[in-house]
Amino acid sequence: MMNGITPISLQNISMTANTAAPAKTQAGQFGDMLKNAMNEVNRTQLESDKMTGALAKGQNVELQDVMIAAEKASVTLLSAVEMRNKAIEAYQEVMRMQM
């Protein structure tokens, strides 16, 4: 042991990568992740709408809960828009590459 650092033997390191999974499976996993993210955005938007409507109707809803739900919906929507923008930028960058 040198200076508090324990040397690692290469024999103890597993060199197995997740290359056995076909591209279709990986694409499916990515698609599922995107679908789940979009469902979460939709769920927060619907929850915010429901709470705002309840407050407008005079139901027993706390104002701070309505504001928190609205902010959550706003943040999830802005995050989704930024992810979309980054994906478009990445696609455009790939398309600009010369072969």
Side-chain angles (χ1 to χ4, degrees):
M1 187 158 88
M2 300 170 13
N3 298 331
I5 300 173
T6 305
I8 299 175
S9 170
L10 291 178
Q11 295 171 350
N12 297 333
I13 299 175
S14 174
M15 298 301 275
T16 59
N18 192 9
T19 57
K24 186 174 182 180
T25 302
Q26 292 173 354
Q29 291 172 353
F30 182 72
D32 290 341
M33 182 195 67
L34 284 178
K35 183 178 177 182
N36 291 339
M38 296 311 327
N39 286 338
E40 180 64 18
V41 170
N42 189 46
R43 187 193 64 74
T44 59
Q45 293 290 323
L46 292 174
E47 180 68 24
S48 176
D49 288 346
K50 184 176 95 173
M51 291 188 76
T52 302
L55 181 69
K57 292 177 185 176
Q59 295 176 354
N60 189 16
V61 178
E62 296 292 327
L63 178 60
Q64 64 266 20
D65 293 337
V66 175
M67 294 304 297
I68 290 170
E71 282 301 311
K72 281 182 183 179
S74 176
V75 168
T76 55
L77 182 60
L78 290 174
S79 297
V81 169
E82 283 302 314
M83 289 188 332
R84 177 198 62 117
N85 291 344
K86 291 295 182 183
I88 289 172
E89 287 177 25
Y91 173 77
Q92 290 171 342
E93 188 65 29
V94 167
M95 295 308 292
R96 277 188 236 125
M97 288 183 186
Q98 294 180 358
M99 296 290 191

